[in-house]
Each structure stands twice: as structure tokens, then as C-alpha cells.
Amino acid sequence: MSDVAIEKFIETMGSLAQSEGGTRIAGQILGYLVVEGEPRTLTQMTEALSISKASASTNARLLENRGQLRRVSQLGSRQDAWEAVSNPNRDVLATVATRFRKSGEAIGEAAAAFPPDRAEARSRVVHLADFYFNSAEFIEEWISNLPDRQEENASDLSTDHGAAKFTG
Amino acid sequence: MSDVAIEKFIETMGSLAQSEGGTRIAGQILGYLVVEGEPRTLTQMTEALSISKASASTNARLLENRGQLRRVSQLGSRQDAWEAVSNPNRDVLATVATRFRKSGEAIGEAAAAFPPDRAEARSRVVHLADFYFNSAEFIEEWISNLPDRQEENASDLSTDHGAAKFTG
DNA sequence: CAGAACGTTCAATAAAAACTGAACGACCTG
DNA sequence: CAGGTCGTTCAGTTTTTATTGAACGTTCTG
């Protein structure tokens, strides 16, 4: 932190997350970790962002589930550390695609139950379901065009990510 | 309405809208109008969905802003009628693209204000902004591949009712 | 012009969500 | 084993959002 421009960026990330349907704190955590570029602990988050430990824990794991954060346990410490993945929003898109697919399924199932005398209505609903299916497909294609996730985040010394997953 | 399967579909649309960050009633209205296939008035919505006139009005205009509903004033009546556009989610994608672009701008501006000694952090943030820009661009391309909006909804003039298939 | 129906707005309420403090179990250290 | 630190959970509070009822201005009808 320590700089007003950086604080502003983090606040921006918080607002953005909120307007995208997430939580402010999740956005702030992501912004903070992108700025830092190295793994940070929950305690560091609570201090940097003035949030409770409960919020830090909950939102960090939420971001982990979305694929935007990675938990790296550092050898010799039982503290978890968290870092932003290098393409933090790639998996957000994947989540969107999954949700689209599920929406399409839900709508398609509902359409299948329509009574015979509502065939036209059903066809409109099926059309809607198709939109979701096709959008999901397209987003997945888009994802596959994104640059590969590079495991080159913390640019200075090697915190060996891939191997040292060592949670209790 | 009048059918349990259709009611279930409308409820599904409400839940879906909610999980996508919208309001339940907006989703229900959209579902209702898709089922009906013809323009319906606010009063009809309030009866069919058991909602208040205030909610119907507010949410209908909200959907209109998103491009999912169209207001059609019928000659000889001063009642507004509303219908779902034939591709109700096309403009939802456009809204997403716009939001992505704005997010990219906000993040990019924040990055530009970073102090010189945080050049590496800034480059990470710029990378993030680029993701938004590229995604916006891609979505817009996807939109342009969608079948054209056909303005053939609320009449029996045309026979190919929303039957446009995706080309992939 | 009176009366009714309409769409919108706004204050108030109801419902939902975020966020926190405190407590807990697990684990390490000395 | 005692004391400290860690991450998580949970109940409670605060904050936000959705939804409503009532009031208002407008427009049509008779």
C-alpha cells in the first residue's frame, strides 16, 4: 500500500467487484494481491485493508473457489499465504460459462414440461435456452484463446508453487 | 399462465435473474412475456405475477434499459404494453461488454497514477486492464455473430417465429 | 368538467446480504 | 504441557437492496 494511487486502485477493484455482483472485500483483496505480486497472509490483508480476519478468510476462500487466488503454504510456516493468479479473471469467465450452461439446462427442462397446447411458447423458451448454451460454448472458446496461465507470478525469488502444496 | 409448468418456468427465470445479480421480479417479467409472446400491460403483469404495480413499472423499465423489453404503445389505448424482444439476451451481452470496457478504463486510469517506484505493480495492473479490454472486444464480436434481431414479435404477420437457429 | 384508469415516484418496510467479534480446534514452539 | 498463533465457523449486527402502498400528475371517457 503506502501510496494513495494504489489505495485508490484497490478501492476501484472493490467497487468493481461489487458492481459485478461480488463483494467489495473480495475485490479489494484481489487488487491488493495484484499490487503486491507476492503471496500475502490473511493477517497482512487485515492490516492493509482494515478488515476483520473473518472477512479476509471468507473472501479469500471465495476467490480461491473462483480460481482467482491461489493458496501457497510456505515451508517452515504454518501460515497460509495467498497470491493472485496471473490471469485472475480467466476462471471468472469459466464460471460464467458454467452458469450459462446450467441456466440453459434449467430453462430447457422447464420448457420440456410445457403442455402440448403451448407449443409456440415452448419454442420461444427453447430458443432462450439455446442462447445460454451457445453463449456458454462461445465463452469457453474465448477462454481457450486466452494466453496460458503462466506460473511466473512473484517475480523475485522462487517460491516454488507447483510442488509445495502442503496443507494439513 | 394457467399451467403449473409455465409457472415453474417463470419462477426459474426469477431465480436465474437473481443469481445473475438482477432482481427476481425482473426475471419473472421477462419469463412471463416470453411465454405470452405478445405485448402485455403492467396491470396484466401484476395479476399474473402477484406483484405490485410499482414493482412491475420499475422492473419493466429496468429491463427496457437493458434492451430486453420493448414498450409498444398500442393505437387507441393509452396503456403501455410490453413485449420481450426476440433475442432478449443479446443486449445483456452488450451491457456486459460495455461494463468490461468501463472496468478496463477504470483500472487503466488507476494504473497510470502509480508512482514510478511501483512500475512492476503497475504493469500487473495494466495486464489486468487489458484483460477487460480484450474481453469486451471479444464479446462484441460474439454479439455480431448472433442472429439479427427480428422485429417480428407481437403479430401474426410472420410465421418463422423466433426460429432463427444459431450458426455456431 | 367529473371520474376513472394509467404510469411513475417516493417514503417506508421487508428481506437479504455483507461484515464483524468472539469462540473454537488444530498446530507449533519452548 | 502451557502459551501463542493460525484459519475457520457461527451468531449477531450493520448495511444494502428489493418490494410495496400510497400519493401524484396525466390522459382518456362520458
Side-chain angles (χ1 to χ4, degrees):
Chain A
M1 301 271 291
S2 78
D3 185 276
V4 63
I6 290 180
E7 284 180 15
K8 195 171 178 189
F9 162 69
I10 290 176
E11 287 166 16
T12 297
M13 290 293 288
S15 305
L16 247 47
Q18 239 173 343
S19 68
E20 287 174 11
T23 75
R24 175 172 48 228
I25 288 189
Q28 289 176 346
I29 289 178
L30 181 59
Y32 169 67
L33 290 178
V34 166
V35 165
E36 296 295 312
E38 298 173 12
R40 292 288 181 259
T41 68
L42 288 185
T43 304
Q44 288 173 314
M45 296 179 200
T46 64
E47 290 168 357
L49 304 175
S50 302
I51 58 176
S52 72
K53 197 167 49 160
S55 276
S57 170
T58 301
N59 281 282
R61 275 175 298 136
L62 183 139
L63 289 166
E64 184 185 34
N65 282 339
R66 284 205 243 157
Q68 308 192 81
L69 255 52
R70 180 193 302 128
R71 193 193 302 234
V72 293
S73 26
Q74 286 167 319
L75 290 172
S77 164
R78 92 195 114 97
Q79 252 188 124
D80 288 347
W82 302 80
E83 64 180 357
V85 304
S86 56
N87 248 332
N89 285 7
R90 179 198 183 96
D91 294 77
V92 173
L93 286 178
T95 302
V96 170
T98 299
R99 202 178 53 200
F100 270 41
R101 177 149 290 146
K102 283 183 181 169
S103 296
E105 285 167 7
I107 294 175
E109 286 171 15
F114 275 31
D117 61 319
R118 305 303 297 269
E120 291 198 6
R122 183 177 54 219
S123 102
R124 283 190 292 272
V125 173
V126 167
H127 179 65
L128 192 63
D130 282 345
F131 169 86
Y132 280 102
F133 285 130
N134 287 304
S135 294
E137 205 170 312
F138 192 79
I139 292 173
E140 280 156 5
E141 181 190 334
W142 164 228
I143 292 171
S144 70
N145 283 342
L146 286 174
D148 279 344
R149 171 83 44 74
Q150 295 161 342
E151 306 290 339
E152 40 73 4
N153 233 338
S155 56
D156 60 348
L157 285 184
S158 67
T159 47
D160 62 343
H161 310 136
K165 185 85 182 195
F166 177 17
T167 57
Chain B
M1 299 271 292
S2 78
D3 187 277
V4 62
I6 291 181
E7 285 180 16
K8 194 172 178 189
F9 162 68
I10 291 177
E11 287 166 16
T12 298
M13 290 294 287
S15 305
L16 246 47
Q18 240 173 345
S19 68
E20 287 174 12
T23 74
R24 175 172 48 226
I25 288 187
Q28 290 176 346
I29 290 178
L30 181 59
Y32 169 67
L33 290 178
V34 167
V35 165
E36 297 295 313
E38 298 173 13
R40 291 289 180 259
T41 67
L42 288 186
T43 303
Q44 288 173 315
M45 296 180 201
T46 63
E47 290 168 359
L49 304 175
S50 301
I51 58 176
S52 72
K53 197 167 51 159
S55 276
S57 171
T58 301
N59 281 282
R61 276 175 297 138
L62 183 137
L63 288 165
E64 184 185 34
N65 281 339
R66 285 205 241 157
Q68 308 191 78
L69 255 51
R70 180 193 304 127
R71 192 193 304 234
V72 293
S73 24
Q74 285 168 318
L75 290 172
S77 164
R78 91 196 115 96
Q79 251 187 124
D80 289 349
W82 301 79
E83 64 181 356
V85 304
S86 57
N87 247 331
N89 285 6
R90 179 198 182 96
D91 294 78
V92 173
L93 286 178
T95 302
V96 170
T98 300
R99 201 179 53 201
F100 270 41
R101 176 148 296 160
K102 283 184 181 168
S103 296
E105 286 167 6
I107 294 174
E109 286 171 14
F114 276 30
D117 62 317
R118 303 303 297 269
E120 290 199 5
R122 182 176 56 219
S123 101
R124 283 189 293 271
V125 174
V126 167
H127 178 66
L128 192 63
D130 283 345
F131 168 86
Y132 282 102
F133 285 129
N134 290 328
S135 295
E137 207 169 314
F138 198 78
I139 292 173
E140 280 156 4
E141 182 191 335
W142 164 229
I143 294 172
S144 71
N145 284 341
L146 286 174
D148 279 344
R149 167 86 44 76
Q150 295 163 344
E151 307 291 338
E152 41 73 7
N153 241 337
S155 75
D156 42 11
L157 293 176
S158 114
T159 48
D160 62 333
H161 207 33
K165 289 286 182 171
F166 287 148
T167 54

